[in-house]
Amino acid sequence: MVKTRSNTEKLKRTLRKKSAKAEIYEYVSTGSTLLNLAISGNPNNGFAKGSFVLFVGDSGSGKTFLTLTALAEASINPAFKDYRLIFDNAENGALMSVEKFFGKGLAERLEPPRKLLSTNPEPIYSTTIEEFYFNVDEALRKGPCIYILDSMDALTSQEEADKFQEDKRASAKGRVAGGTWGLSKAKQNSSKLRVVYNQLRQTGSILIVICQTRDNIGFGSQFQPKTRGGGLALTFYASVEIWTSVRGHIKQTVRGKPRELGVICKVRVKKNRLTGK
């Protein structure tokens, strides 16, 4: 009886280990144990395969670093060895050395959405919301990938470009062109994100979209001082929605002068379909 109980406990431990190992391969770590726990309840698991992640935050609150760290984790995870790691640097803001901060493995695998020519590897990043979705669609058709857009706010739309030219022509004639509601980007997200979402599930890919916070104005701003652009579809389709903010600064006195070494970030998981928390 004692031996049977002992063997049963050993079998349970073995099954738990196998289950945990199998679960890890369905996720890519964020590189932060605390953030992994907040997202999945597991210290090793961050973003799930087949998911869309919305990353919203203040300027300088670590959005780009956290998402690139997730790509660095993918570059050393055997489950993602066949994945393309795509960084769509639409705002041209992340110019630091990838190899220095995130390792040689990511530096060798990181790629833009498109290149100018095979002989001239000049990266081409999305400039409009339409180009972004076309680039994501092309990437997903070629196989599984982790695609990061940095950021949604840097993109314009074809409608906005046409309106700019209309305003320019009107100004040249001394007139003022009519206004718009400025909803073109939200419309594109609403109509195209559902198509991409299905492709993510089919290929096991992960799409991470970064958004900048904006100051909320008008009624309700006292309860919700920060908002974002891009429309409601981004939140609706997101498996995980994360908001970051700066809560402090890391300083050190060097040669008698205070130097800022970094920031203390607050990360809030605002929406979570993985655990429901």
Side-chain angles (χ1 to χ4, degrees):
M1 187 67 165
V2 175
K3 188 175 182 180
T4 301
R5 188 180 295 114
S6 176
N7 289 338
T8 301
E9 289 301 320
K10 287 181 180 179
L11 179 60
K12 286 181 178 179
R13 285 196 296 269
T14 301
L15 290 175
R16 280 196 295 268
K17 287 180 180 179
K18 288 184 177 180
S19 176
K21 187 176 180 181
E23 190 180 21
I24 289 173
Y25 289 117
E26 295 302 314
Y27 294 79
V28 61
S29 172
T30 64
S32 167
T33 300
L34 290 177
L35 184 54
N36 286 346
L37 286 168
I39 293 172
S40 68
N42 186 302
N44 301 308
N45 301 338
F47 305 135
K49 289 183 178 180
S51 65
F52 163 54
V53 179
L54 181 60
F55 221 109
V56 187
D58 297 340
S59 178
S61 62
K63 303 182 299 299
T64 300
F65 259 80
L66 280 170
T67 51
L68 284 174
T69 300
L71 287 188
E73 290 284 344
S75 71
I76 59 175
N77 188 333
F80 295 90
K81 63 182 178 66
D82 297 323
Y83 276 57
R84 295 174 65 201
L85 306 180
I86 303 172
F87 184 63
D88 195 345
N89 192 12
E91 65 181 35
N92 199 34
L95 304 177
M96 61 280 194
S97 169
V98 172
E99 183 173 351
K100 177 182 178 180
F101 288 101
F102 305 101
K104 185 177 180 181
L106 179 59
E108 292 176 344
R109 292 179 58 185
L110 193 65
E111 57 180 290
R114 291 184 293 135
K115 293 180 180 179
L116 189 60
L117 295 170
S118 59
T119 55
N120 182 12
E122 184 71 23
I124 299 178
Y125 302 115
S126 301
T127 57
T128 66
I129 189 71
E130 291 87 356
E131 284 181 352
F132 162 64
Y133 281 110
F134 296 154
N135 287 333
V136 174
D137 179 72
E138 283 299 312
L140 295 175
R141 288 179 184 276
K142 293 178 181 178
C145 66
I146 301 179
Y147 191 114
I148 294 177
L149 171 66
D150 189 9
S151 62
M152 175 63 65
D153 304 82
L155 301 178
T156 183
S157 68
Q158 189 58 53
E159 183 178 325
E160 288 176 345
D162 293 341
K163 183 65 174 63
F164 178 84
Q165 294 301 325
E166 180 186 344
D167 291 344
K168 183 179 177 181
R169 289 191 295 269
S171 177
K173 296 178 181 179
R175 296 187 290 104
V176 177
T180 68
W181 290 101
L183 299 176
S184 57
K185 197 181 295 185
K187 291 178 182 177
Q188 292 294 330
N189 282 327
S190 180
S191 63
K192 291 183 170 60
L193 189 53
R194 68 171 68 96
V195 177
V196 169
Y197 189 74
N198 291 330
Q199 291 174 298
L200 292 173
R201 290 189 297 176
Q202 292 166 5
T203 61
S205 299
I206 300 173
L207 173 62
I208 302 174
V209 171
I210 295 175
C211 289
Q212 305 286 343
T213 57
R214 300 178 181 178
D215 291 330
N216 201 1
I217 58 175
F219 181 77
S221 60
Q222 57 182 329
F223 305 107
Q224 187 176 338
K226 298 289 184 180
T227 185
R228 59 157 182 82
L232 297 177
L234 294 176
T235 291
F236 180 81
Y237 286 103
S239 299
V240 177
E241 182 176 347
I242 298 170
W243 286 63
T244 64
S245 57
V246 178
R247 280 296 176 264
H249 299 268
I250 302 171
K251 296 182 178 180
Q252 181 176 334
T253 301
V254 180
R255 296 180 180 177
K257 293 184 179 181
R259 305 288 186 183
E260 185 170 328
L261 305 181
V263 295
I264 300 172
C265 299
K266 178 181 178 181
V267 183
R268 176 192 175 197
V269 180
K270 192 173 182 179
K271 177 185 177 181
N272 191 347
R273 287 181 175 176
L274 300 181
T275 64
K277 295 181 180 178

